[in-house]
Amino acid sequence: MALKALDIYKLLPKKNCKECGDPTCLTFAMKLAGGKADIDLCPYLEKEAKSVLGATTRPPIRLVTIGVGERSFAVGEEFVLYRHEKTFYHPPGILFKVSDTDTPDEIRAVTTRVRDESFVRVGADLRFNGIAVENASGSDEAFANAVMTVEKAADLPLVLMAKKVDALAAALVHCGTYRPLIHAATRDNFKEMCALANRHGCPLVIKARGLDELTSLTRACSGEGVRDLVMDLSPQSLSDVITTSTAVRQLAITRNDPDLGYPVFLDATFSEMQDAAIALGIVKYASVVVTAPLSPASARAALTLRQNIYTDPQKPIQMNPGLYRIGSPGNDAPVLLSVNFSLTFFTLEGYLEATRIPCFMLVVDTEGLSVLTSVAAGKLNETLVRDSISKFLVGSEVSHKKLIIPGYAAPLSGRIEEATGWEVMVGPRDAAEIGDFLEKEWKK
Ligand code: SF4
């Protein structure tokens, strides 16, 4: 059960010494209550108070970083069971799996694909995160060579997947300083695996079936000094992915079982329906998802789903307001009014590009609301349009004074004309019809 700021404050030393980086103990207590500070930052806490506060103020799911450098990613530190309660913070890393039985050329091809491939959606660059190397050959040397091939081709986060400690040790000689995720400690080998993780400072996956075994294994590994743990729940079916992962998340979030407060690992290749397993993993709390290299269609689907689930539902994705050019518009080009809800922007932009008619998009600040919502809420109004025309110097870009407004903003047409002195043309409600509209109404 989480403590309130005042309860936390009562347990603090109240020296107001600022050593924690906060101006007062009270502000530090407020941060702790929100899960935004670490109790270890206060050096004056009594041991007893520290253990009480540590158990209640740390994020219920530990933040674990995989890899180093620009492409490293952090997972965990989530606070809610349902996205609409607040938001999900750390999108799962999705890694393509290669095997040490693949040829070096095949391994290089997958690695360079993950290194270079990205696709832009609603203004964000979407990419896969790294490479998982599997010791399918059983040979330590082949595994180390495969890891070396990946390492030489790209600086990407790695998951090292082997049953033998010796094989992992051989591979870690080449990549141990880059924080690869080691997969996996089991009941039988956890002491050796923990020693390896400690020696190289790497995060470690524990693999177990059933909540009791998971709990006892995380406890045992943290007792060995490994704190950056990730849990492979060993699902046997797609329904198992949902039930086990949901149970773990529930117990962790409510702090009923702090030993389950670690990110979850999913090897989607366990299922013949890999795409479905990936989707379930993204939606149901997996933080590291390993998959065979995906077809272009599956790749886009996975990245799109991840982006959708991990955007803040309370903050629409917004574009910067301004005057955007489609093609190379001249001073006789049409000017289309739009809002700064990114989905509206990119949808309209896509259709406008398809028309091949150079034009301007005047994007006004409706705080990320769509046209319909912003009209209903009064955010999109004649004053905003007038001020935006002036602020973004639209009059100096075109020789006419005609403004095409979205169909859903039709009720504002008269008021916009009065406020701006521009002639208003009411465009279609559906962006897909903008091409026909421009052909018929603008070019006539
Ligand atoms: Fe208070 Fe501890 Fe922060 Fe000093 S370091 S201000 S005592 S919370």
Side-chain angles (χ1 to χ4, degrees), residues 78-89:
E78 300 293 346
F79 297 87
V80 292
L81 193 59
Y82 301 109
R83 177 177 173 267
H84 63 259
E85 290 176 274
K86 199 171 186 189
T87 183
F88 294 163
Y89 290 96

mmCIF file with all atom_site columns, all heavy atoms in Angstrom, residues 78-89:
data_model
loop_
_atom_site.group_PDB
_atom_site.id
_atom_site.type_symbol
_atom_site.label_atom_id
_atom_site.label_alt_id
_atom_site.label_comp_id
_atom_site.label_asym_id
_atom_site.label_entity_id
_atom_site.label_seq_id
_atom_site.pdbx_PDB_ins_code
_atom_site.Cartn_x
_atom_site.Cartn_y
_atom_site.Cartn_z
_atom_site.occupancy
_atom_site.B_iso_or_equiv
_atom_site.pdbx_formal_charge
_atom_site.auth_seq_id
_atom_site.auth_comp_id
_atom_site.auth_asym_id
_atom_site.auth_atom_id
_atom_site.pdbx_PDB_model_num
ATOM 1   N N   . GLU A 1 78 ? 6.562  0.750  -14.249 1.00 0.00 ? 78 GLU A N   1
ATOM 2   C CA  . GLU A 1 78 ? 5.169  1.010  -14.609 1.00 0.00 ? 78 GLU A CA  1
ATOM 3   C C   . GLU A 1 78 ? 4.362  1.074  -13.313 1.00 0.00 ? 78 GLU A C   1
ATOM 4   O O   . GLU A 1 78 ? 4.748  0.494  -12.300 1.00 0.00 ? 78 GLU A O   1
ATOM 5   C CB  . GLU A 1 78 ? 4.625  -0.107 -15.511 1.00 0.00 ? 78 GLU A CB  1
ATOM 6   C CG  . GLU A 1 78 ? 5.383  -0.286 -16.820 1.00 0.00 ? 78 GLU A CG  1
ATOM 7   C CD  . GLU A 1 78 ? 5.238  0.889  -17.773 1.00 0.00 ? 78 GLU A CD  1
ATOM 8   O OE1 . GLU A 1 78 ? 4.352  1.733  -17.544 1.00 0.00 ? 78 GLU A OE1 1
ATOM 9   O OE2 . GLU A 1 78 ? 6.011  0.960  -18.740 1.00 0.00 ? 78 GLU A OE2 1
ATOM 10  N N   . PHE A 1 79 ? 3.249  1.790  -13.372 1.00 0.00 ? 79 PHE A N   1
ATOM 11  C CA  . PHE A 1 79 ? 2.504  2.046  -12.141 1.00 0.00 ? 79 PHE A CA  1
ATOM 12  C C   . PHE A 1 79 ? 1.051  1.593  -12.181 1.00 0.00 ? 79 PHE A C   1
ATOM 13  O O   . PHE A 1 79 ? 0.384  1.588  -11.169 1.00 0.00 ? 79 PHE A O   1
ATOM 14  C CB  . PHE A 1 79 ? 2.547  3.548  -11.803 1.00 0.00 ? 79 PHE A CB  1
ATOM 15  C CG  . PHE A 1 79 ? 3.937  4.031  -11.523 1.00 0.00 ? 79 PHE A CG  1
ATOM 16  C CD1 . PHE A 1 79 ? 4.761  4.453  -12.555 1.00 0.00 ? 79 PHE A CD1 1
ATOM 17  C CD2 . PHE A 1 79 ? 4.440  4.038  -10.228 1.00 0.00 ? 79 PHE A CD2 1
ATOM 18  C CE1 . PHE A 1 79 ? 6.048  4.875  -12.299 1.00 0.00 ? 79 PHE A CE1 1
ATOM 19  C CE2 . PHE A 1 79 ? 5.734  4.456  -9.964  1.00 0.00 ? 79 PHE A CE2 1
ATOM 20  C CZ  . PHE A 1 79 ? 6.540  4.877  -11.007 1.00 0.00 ? 79 PHE A CZ  1
ATOM 21  N N   . VAL A 1 80 ? 0.566  1.270  -13.370 1.00 0.00 ? 80 VAL A N   1
ATOM 22  C CA  . VAL A 1 80 ? -0.868 0.956  -13.448 1.00 0.00 ? 80 VAL A CA  1
ATOM 23  C C   . VAL A 1 80 ? -1.112 -0.343 -14.197 1.00 0.00 ? 80 VAL A C   1
ATOM 24  O O   . VAL A 1 80 ? -0.268 -0.817 -14.962 1.00 0.00 ? 80 VAL A O   1
ATOM 25  C CB  . VAL A 1 80 ? -1.666 2.095  -14.141 1.00 0.00 ? 80 VAL A CB  1
ATOM 26  C CG1 . VAL A 1 80 ? -1.699 3.340  -13.286 1.00 0.00 ? 80 VAL A CG1 1
ATOM 27  C CG2 . VAL A 1 80 ? -1.121 2.390  -15.523 1.00 0.00 ? 80 VAL A CG2 1
ATOM 28  N N   . LEU A 1 81 ? -2.296 -0.867 -13.958 1.00 0.00 ? 81 LEU A N   1
ATOM 29  C CA  . LEU A 1 81 ? -2.694 -2.106 -14.635 1.00 0.00 ? 81 LEU A CA  1
ATOM 30  C C   . LEU A 1 81 ? -3.340 -1.780 -15.984 1.00 0.00 ? 81 LEU A C   1
ATOM 31  O O   . LEU A 1 81 ? -3.147 -2.467 -16.966 1.00 0.00 ? 81 LEU A O   1
ATOM 32  C CB  . LEU A 1 81 ? -3.686 -2.844 -13.741 1.00 0.00 ? 81 LEU A CB  1
ATOM 33  C CG  . LEU A 1 81 ? -4.011 -4.280 -14.075 1.00 0.00 ? 81 LEU A CG  1
ATOM 34  C CD1 . LEU A 1 81 ? -2.763 -5.143 -14.070 1.00 0.00 ? 81 LEU A CD1 1
ATOM 35  C CD2 . LEU A 1 81 ? -5.010 -4.829 -13.054 1.00 0.00 ? 81 LEU A CD2 1
ATOM 36  N N   . TYR A 1 82 ? -4.115 -0.696 -15.982 1.00 0.00 ? 82 TYR A N   1
ATOM 37  C CA  . TYR A 1 82 ? -4.813 -0.308 -17.203 1.00 0.00 ? 82 TYR A CA  1
ATOM 38  C C   . TYR A 1 82 ? -4.274 1.030  -17.683 1.00 0.00 ? 82 TYR A C   1
ATOM 39  O O   . TYR A 1 82 ? -4.120 1.971  -16.894 1.00 0.00 ? 82 TYR A O   1
ATOM 40  C CB  . TYR A 1 82 ? -6.324 -0.187 -16.960 1.00 0.00 ? 82 TYR A CB  1
ATOM 41  C CG  . TYR A 1 82 ? -6.921 -1.476 -16.475 1.00 0.00 ? 82 TYR A CG  1
ATOM 42  C CD1 . TYR A 1 82 ? -7.358 -1.607 -15.162 1.00 0.00 ? 82 TYR A CD1 1
ATOM 43  C CD2 . TYR A 1 82 ? -7.027 -2.561 -17.329 1.00 0.00 ? 82 TYR A CD2 1
ATOM 44  C CE1 . TYR A 1 82 ? -7.896 -2.803 -14.717 1.00 0.00 ? 82 TYR A CE1 1
ATOM 45  C CE2 . TYR A 1 82 ? -7.558 -3.757 -16.887 1.00 0.00 ? 82 TYR A CE2 1
ATOM 46  C CZ  . TYR A 1 82 ? -7.996 -3.872 -15.582 1.00 0.00 ? 82 TYR A CZ  1
ATOM 47  O OH  . TYR A 1 82 ? -8.508 -5.056 -15.141 1.00 0.00 ? 82 TYR A OH  1
ATOM 48  N N   . ARG A 1 83 ? -4.038 1.095  -18.987 1.00 0.00 ? 83 ARG A N   1
ATOM 49  C CA  . ARG A 1 83 ? -3.447 2.284  -19.586 1.00 0.00 ? 83 ARG A CA  1
ATOM 50  C C   . ARG A 1 83 ? -4.263 3.548  -19.276 1.00 0.00 ? 83 ARG A C   1
ATOM 51  O O   . ARG A 1 83 ? -3.709 4.604  -19.016 1.00 0.00 ? 83 ARG A O   1
ATOM 52  C CB  . ARG A 1 83 ? -3.384 2.034  -21.090 1.00 0.00 ? 83 ARG A CB  1
ATOM 53  C CG  . ARG A 1 83 ? -2.885 3.149  -21.930 1.00 0.00 ? 83 ARG A CG  1
ATOM 54  C CD  . ARG A 1 83 ? -2.836 2.656  -23.363 1.00 0.00 ? 83 ARG A CD  1
ATOM 55  N NE  . ARG A 1 83 ? -2.521 3.725  -24.276 1.00 0.00 ? 83 ARG A NE  1
ATOM 56  C CZ  . ARG A 1 83 ? -3.429 4.451  -24.902 1.00 0.00 ? 83 ARG A CZ  1
ATOM 57  N NH1 . ARG A 1 83 ? -4.709 4.221  -24.708 1.00 0.00 ? 83 ARG A NH1 1
ATOM 58  N NH2 . ARG A 1 83 ? -3.064 5.406  -25.717 1.00 0.00 ? 83 ARG A NH2 1
ATOM 59  N N   . HIS A 1 84 ? -5.620 3.418  -19.277 1.00 0.00 ? 84 HIS A N   1
ATOM 60  C CA  . HIS A 1 84 ? -6.442 4.615  -19.082 1.00 0.00 ? 84 HIS A CA  1
ATOM 61  C C   . HIS A 1 84 ? -6.369 5.164  -17.651 1.00 0.00 ? 84 HIS A C   1
ATOM 62  O O   . HIS A 1 84 ? -6.785 6.284  -17.393 1.00 0.00 ? 84 HIS A O   1
ATOM 63  C CB  . HIS A 1 84 ? -7.903 4.342  -19.468 1.00 0.00 ? 84 HIS A CB  1
ATOM 64  C CG  . HIS A 1 84 ? -8.554 3.297  -18.611 1.00 0.00 ? 84 HIS A CG  1
ATOM 65  N ND1 . HIS A 1 84 ? -8.718 2.001  -19.029 1.00 0.00 ? 84 HIS A ND1 1
ATOM 66  C CD2 . HIS A 1 84 ? -9.058 3.344  -17.359 1.00 0.00 ? 84 HIS A CD2 1
ATOM 67  C CE1 . HIS A 1 84 ? -9.309 1.302  -18.079 1.00 0.00 ? 84 HIS A CE1 1
ATOM 68  N NE2 . HIS A 1 84 ? -9.511 2.095  -17.040 1.00 0.00 ? 84 HIS A NE2 1
ATOM 69  N N   . GLU A 1 85 ? -5.827 4.371  -16.703 1.00 0.00 ? 85 GLU A N   1
ATOM 70  C CA  . GLU A 1 85 ? -5.715 4.877  -15.332 1.00 0.00 ? 85 GLU A CA  1
ATOM 71  C C   . GLU A 1 85 ? -4.692 6.013  -15.247 1.00 0.00 ? 85 GLU A C   1
ATOM 72  O O   . GLU A 1 85 ? -4.789 6.891  -14.420 1.00 0.00 ? 85 GLU A O   1
ATOM 73  C CB  . GLU A 1 85 ? -5.264 3.763  -14.390 1.00 0.00 ? 85 GLU A CB  1
ATOM 74  C CG  . GLU A 1 85 ? -6.299 2.688  -14.157 1.00 0.00 ? 85 GLU A CG  1
ATOM 75  C CD  . GLU A 1 85 ? -5.712 1.587  -13.299 1.00 0.00 ? 85 GLU A CD  1
ATOM 76  O OE1 . GLU A 1 85 ? -5.083 0.681  -13.863 1.00 0.00 ? 85 GLU A OE1 1
ATOM 77  O OE2 . GLU A 1 85 ? -5.858 1.645  -12.077 1.00 0.00 ? 85 GLU A OE2 1
ATOM 78  N N   . LYS A 1 86 ? -3.669 5.944  -16.071 1.00 0.00 ? 86 LYS A N   1
ATOM 79  C CA  . LYS A 1 86 ? -2.637 6.987  -16.104 1.00 0.00 ? 86 LYS A CA  1
ATOM 80  C C   . LYS A 1 86 ? -1.987 6.913  -17.480 1.00 0.00 ? 86 LYS A C   1
ATOM 81  O O   . LYS A 1 86 ? -2.417 7.541  -18.423 1.00 0.00 ? 86 LYS A O   1
ATOM 82  C CB  . LYS A 1 86 ? -1.619 6.746  -14.992 1.00 0.00 ? 86 LYS A CB  1
ATOM 83  C CG  . LYS A 1 86 ? -0.795 7.959  -14.656 1.00 0.00 ? 86 LYS A CG  1
ATOM 84  C CD  . LYS A 1 86 ? 0.033  7.727  -13.417 1.00 0.00 ? 86 LYS A CD  1
ATOM 85  C CE  . LYS A 1 86 ? 0.751  8.994  -13.016 1.00 0.00 ? 86 LYS A CE  1
ATOM 86  N NZ  . LYS A 1 86 ? 1.721  8.759  -11.962 1.00 0.00 ? 86 LYS A NZ  1
ATOM 87  N N   . THR A 1 87 ? -0.950 6.132  -17.589 1.00 0.00 ? 87 THR A N   1
ATOM 88  C CA  . THR A 1 87 ? -0.343 5.828  -18.890 1.00 0.00 ? 87 THR A CA  1
ATOM 89  C C   . THR A 1 87 ? 0.663  4.710  -18.670 1.00 0.00 ? 87 THR A C   1
ATOM 90  O O   . THR A 1 87 ? 1.021  4.416  -17.530 1.00 0.00 ? 87 THR A O   1
ATOM 91  C CB  . THR A 1 87 ? 0.362  7.068  -19.492 1.00 0.00 ? 87 THR A CB  1
ATOM 92  O OG1 . THR A 1 87 ? 0.877  6.746  -20.782 1.00 0.00 ? 87 THR A OG1 1
ATOM 93  C CG2 . THR A 1 87 ? 1.532  7.541  -18.642 1.00 0.00 ? 87 THR A CG2 1
ATOM 94  N N   . PHE A 1 88 ? 1.109  4.074  -19.738 1.00 0.00 ? 88 PHE A N   1
ATOM 95  C CA  . PHE A 1 88 ? 2.250  3.158  -19.648 1.00 0.00 ? 88 PHE A CA  1
ATOM 96  C C   . PHE A 1 88 ? 3.480  3.967  -20.072 1.00 0.00 ? 88 PHE A C   1
ATOM 97  O O   . PHE A 1 88 ? 3.416  4.733  -21.033 1.00 0.00 ? 88 PHE A O   1
ATOM 98  C CB  . PHE A 1 88 ? 2.079  1.955  -20.587 1.00 0.00 ? 88 PHE A CB  1
ATOM 99  C CG  . PHE A 1 88 ? 0.932  1.042  -20.214 1.00 0.00 ? 88 PHE A CG  1
ATOM 100 C CD1 . PHE A 1 88 ? 0.433  0.137  -21.141 1.00 0.00 ? 88 PHE A CD1 1
ATOM 101 C CD2 . PHE A 1 88 ? 0.380  1.045  -18.944 1.00 0.00 ? 88 PHE A CD2 1
ATOM 102 C CE1 . PHE A 1 88 ? -0.612 -0.724 -20.825 1.00 0.00 ? 88 PHE A CE1 1
ATOM 103 C CE2 . PHE A 1 88 ? -0.666 0.193  -18.606 1.00 0.00 ? 88 PHE A CE2 1
ATOM 104 C CZ  . PHE A 1 88 ? -1.168 -0.691 -19.559 1.00 0.00 ? 88 PHE A CZ  1
ATOM 105 N N   . TYR A 1 89 ? 4.579  3.778  -19.359 1.00 0.00 ? 89 TYR A N   1
ATOM 106 C CA  . TYR A 1 89 ? 5.718  4.657  -19.578 1.00 0.00 ? 89 TYR A CA  1
ATOM 107 C C   . TYR A 1 89 ? 6.818  4.105  -20.493 1.00 0.00 ? 89 TYR A C   1
ATOM 108 O O   . TYR A 1 89 ? 7.396  4.840  -21.265 1.00 0.00 ? 89 TYR A O   1
ATOM 109 C CB  . TYR A 1 89 ? 6.375  5.020  -18.232 1.00 0.00 ? 89 TYR A CB  1
ATOM 110 C CG  . TYR A 1 89 ? 5.522  5.931  -17.402 1.00 0.00 ? 89 TYR A CG  1
ATOM 111 C CD1 . TYR A 1 89 ? 4.694  5.429  -16.408 1.00 0.00 ? 89 TYR A CD1 1
ATOM 112 C CD2 . TYR A 1 89 ? 5.522  7.302  -17.629 1.00 0.00 ? 89 TYR A CD2 1
ATOM 113 C CE1 . TYR A 1 89 ? 3.896  6.259  -15.648 1.00 0.00 ? 89 TYR A CE1 1
ATOM 114 C CE2 . TYR A 1 89 ? 4.719  8.145  -16.876 1.00 0.00 ? 89 TYR A CE2 1
ATOM 115 C CZ  . TYR A 1 89 ? 3.908  7.619  -15.887 1.00 0.00 ? 89 TYR A CZ  1
ATOM 116 O OH  . TYR A 1 89 ? 3.109  8.453  -15.152 1.00 0.00 ? 89 TYR A OH  1
#
